[in-house]
Amino acid sequence: MLVVAGSLLSAIQMLHAQDGKGAAGPAEHSNLADFVHRAPPQPTEIWLRAAGGRIYDNWWDALDRRKPEGTHPAYPGAGKRTGANTWRCVECHGWDYNGKDGLYGSGERYTGIKGIRGAVGRDVNRIAALLRAEPHSYKRELINDEEVQRVAIFVSRGQDNADRLIDLKTGTARGDPVRGAGLFQTTCAACHGFDGRALDWGAAKEPAYVGTEANKFPHEVLHKIRNAHPGVVMINLRGFPLQDAIDVLAFARTLPSK
Ligand code: HEC
Ligand code: HEC
């Protein structure tokens, strides 16, 4: 078992080394790279929703494209962000999908733009057309037609109603941490460790572990649990009942932040 875990971890590290500029490692030629960046020959509805969720999060990492340059032309002057991040759906519409009416109603990530909850159930082709037109103007070189369909499927049929799952004021996840512990120990822990600290994506002095993130940004972590983190080998719980994801989140909030 250790051998399997070790080779999985080194494959993950190789994929990381490729982020943008690094030399291509053997993982690029393996089925793990396919899992991260390619579509299965017959994509299922479950896969499409999660893959669309990763595009919503960060399409260039999800699709292995070059980072866009400059600030998105539709990013409002009132917003505080600049550069590539302003091309991410999440940057304008929020981790709770509520835009200005939710998490991004004030503070660092305020944009004044509405959320995408109103588009739940909307015709997928209409959403796809919206992403090609102004103000979005996503060109085919950035996100191709098939990929635009994916993110439109996520918008129409894959959004969770975060308001019902997480208390906006306190961040409390409305789940069962005891049940979540069982799910975490048997899935997430393979890569993140039993205490969530095996992977650290923070800056030198400020570690970022599953526990850190789950306490600070529960909506973001729920999105990652349901869709996976784009551009890396990570599983997601999209194929399982929503309650599983919210239970994992409730448990993740009990993990150490430091
Ligand atoms: C730079 C900011 C920005 C980014 C990035 C962005 N959008 Fe939008 N989006 C907008 C604006 C502005 C509107 C129009 C809002 C309005 O009508 O008030 C909008 C509207 C929408 C709507 C319609 C909402 C409704 O209720 O009718 C959907 C769906 C949507 N965006 C999805 C996406 C998706 C998916 C992505 C990523 C592929 C994305 N957006 C990226 C700014 C952005
Ligand atoms: C196969 C390995 C693997 C599994 C299983 C896995 N992850 Fe991950 N996860 C990763 C990798 C790799 C990253 C990227 C870390 C980085 O950016 O350095 C990541 C990133 C994350 C992030 C951080 C995203 C961010 O940057 O904000 C969270 C939160 C997370 N995982 C939670 C979970 C949870 C909860 C589970 C179980 C449902 C899980 N992961 C299962 C490999 C995995």
Side-chain angles (χ1 to χ4, degrees), residues 56 72 74-75 86-89 92-93 113-116 118-119 122 127 130-131 135-136 138 143 151 155:
Y56 181 85
H72 192 294
Y75 189 77
T86 61
W87 289 78
R88 294 167 69 181
C89 316
C92 290
H93 297 297
I113 296 170
K114 73 167 165 181
I116 56 166
R122 197 178 294 172
I127 298 172
L130 186 88
L131 297 175
H136 293 108
Y138 286 106
I143 309 178
V151 70
V155 169

Side-chain angles (χ1 to χ4, degrees), residues 92-167:
C92 290
H93 297 297
W95 285 118
D96 60 351
Y97 323 123
N98 280 323
K100 66 179 165 58
D101 301 312
L103 266 186
Y104 292 11
S106 62
E108 180 64 22
R109 298 180 91 170
Y110 174 82
T111 60
I113 296 170
K114 73 167 165 181
I116 56 166
R117 296 288 304 151
V120 170
R122 197 178 294 172
D123 178 67
V124 167
N125 290 319
R126 272 183 62 206
I127 298 172
L130 186 88
L131 297 175
R132 293 279 181 238
E134 286 194 23
H136 293 108
S137 314
Y138 286 106
K139 301 242 158 50
R140 284 188 176 74
E141 310 85 87
L142 306 181
I143 309 178
N144 73 29
D145 286 343
E146 193 205 322
E147 296 154 354
V148 155
Q149 286 281 319
R150 267 180 230 165
V151 70
I153 286 170
F154 166 77
V155 169
S156 177
R157 308 196 287 258
Q159 293 181 54
D160 299 320
N161 184 350
D163 296 340
R164 278 185 22 218
L165 307 169
I166 298 170
D167 185 303

Side-chain angles (χ1 to χ4, degrees), residues 22-33:
E28 193 173 21
H29 307 289
S30 78
N31 56 352
L32 286 178

